[in-house]
Amino acid sequence: MTTPLEGIRLSVLDRSRTREGEDGGQALRDTVRLAREAEALGYHRFWVSEHHSVPGVAGSAPTVLAAAVAGATTRIRVGTGGVMLPNHQPMVVAEQFGVLESLFPGRIDMGLGRSVGFTDGIRRALGRDKEDADRFASQLDELLGWFTGEQTAHPQVHARPAEGLRVPPYVLATGEGATIAAAAGLPLVIGDLKGRTRLREAIDGYRSGFRPSVWSAEPYVVVAGTVAVAGTEEEARRMLMPEAWSLAYSRTRGVFPPLAPPERIDALEMTDKQRGFYESGLRGHVYGTEEQVADELARAVRETGAQEVLVTTSTYDRAALIDSYRRLARLAGLTPA
C-alpha cells in the first residue's frame, strides 16, 4: 500500500531542549536515546544543533554530540543542523568533521549555518560580531577547500584527516543563505513550514541559480519544520504548546527558557503581547492525526518540490514526542531497521 509521502526521505533534527526541573546532561542523553529510536524507525538522518548561552537548549557543541550519536547508532546518517560557521575557524571545522568521517565512514553530514551568537555578550565571548555572518560565503569556500586540498588562504597548511575525504556539505538557510547554497552548488536545508509562500520563493531562487559542483550535480532541497502526530488533533496541538510558550517568553523577556508542561501553560496569566506571540507560535505547523498530517505534509512537499523533510519537533512530554515520530514513520511507510 502506497502512502502520500512515498519516496520522500524523512529525517530528524533534535535541538537537545531542556525541560523544567532537568539539567542539560539529561537533555543530551535524551538526544542520544532519540537517535537510537529514529534509527530503529527507519529515519534517514539524525542531526543536532548549535546554540550558545541558551537556558532551554543544551546542544552547544554539535560535533561532539554528533560523535556521541554516531557511536550509539550503526546505520542512520549523523550530522549537524548545523555548525554555525561564522563562530569558528574553517580549518578547525574541517578537522572536526574529518575526525568524525574517519571514525564513522560514510555516515557523516556537514550541515552549516551562517548565524552568530544572538546577543552582544555571546558574540564577544565567542570572539565574533554581527558582521562575521557576512563572511559566510568566503568561509564556506575555504572550508570546502580544506577537504579538496584546494584552499589558498593558508598555503602549505593541510587539515588532517579531512583532506581527501568526502563529507557531504549542506547549507542551512532562510533568504540570502539560499543564494549562497546555489552559487556553491550545495544542497539546501530551509525552513520552516509556516511561511509557505516565502519558502517557495527562496527555493525557486535556489533552483534557478544553482550551479553544479563537485559536491552536488543538481539542486537538492530539504524542508525543515515542526510536525506533531497524535491520536487526536487536540493532543497534537498540546504538543506544540511548550515550544510556543518558550518562544513567547523569549520575545518578551529576552531569555529562551526550558520547556514547561502544557498544564502549567494552561494556568498562566499571559500579557496581551505574550498571548499574541504564543498564539502565533502555535500556528502554521503540521500537526494532527495521522490522516491529517499525511495530507498536509504531502501538500507541503508538492508545493516545495522538496526531496526530504527534516522534522524539528520539540515538546515537554518525551513519550508523546517518540509516539509522534513512530506515527509519522508509519504513515510515511518507513522501513524499520
Side-chain angles (χ1 to χ4, degrees), residues 82-241:
V83 165
M84 296 299 121
L85 192 53
N87 290 337
H88 310 279
Q89 290 294 338
M91 179 183 179
V92 174
V93 175
E95 289 173 334
Q96 291 172 346
F97 279 97
V99 170
L100 283 170
E101 177 64 20
S102 297
L103 291 172
F104 309 101
R107 293 180 57 207
I108 301 300
D109 299 323
M110 185 169 59
L112 306 160
R114 63 187 294 268
S115 296
V116 292
F118 66 95
T119 68
D120 290 339
I122 295 172
R123 288 190 289 269
R124 284 195 297 269
L126 292 169
R128 298 292 184 268
D129 57 41
K130 287 183 178 180
E131 288 69 33
D132 283 303
D134 298 332
R135 300 172 48 239
F136 178 68
S138 61
Q139 281 191 307
L140 179 63
D141 183 64
E142 180 186 334
L143 173 62
L144 299 179
W146 288 114
F147 286 93
T148 62
E150 297 172 341
Q151 69 82 25
T152 58
H154 305 280
Q156 299 182 328
V157 182
H158 302 271
R160 310 291 189 193
E163 190 170 306
L165 296 180
R166 297 282 292 187
V167 182
Y170 296 77
V171 172
L172 280 65
T174 50
E176 183 180 348
T179 303
I180 293 171
L186 300 181
L188 175 69
V189 182
I190 188 166
D192 57 19
L193 292 169
K194 293 175 69 174
R196 206 68 61 81
T197 299
R198 182 181 175 188
L199 184 67
R200 288 197 302 267
E201 290 173 353
I203 290 172
D204 289 345
Y206 163 73
R207 289 199 175 102
S208 64
F210 185 86
R211 299 190 306 189
S213 70
V214 297
W215 301 100
S216 185
E218 56 188 24
Y220 187 88
V221 175
V222 183
V223 292
T226 296
V227 180
V229 196
T232 67
E233 183 176 353
E234 178 57 27
E235 289 173 341
R237 185 181 184 276
R238 287 184 70 79
M239 287 180 61
L240 306 178
M241 290 170 59

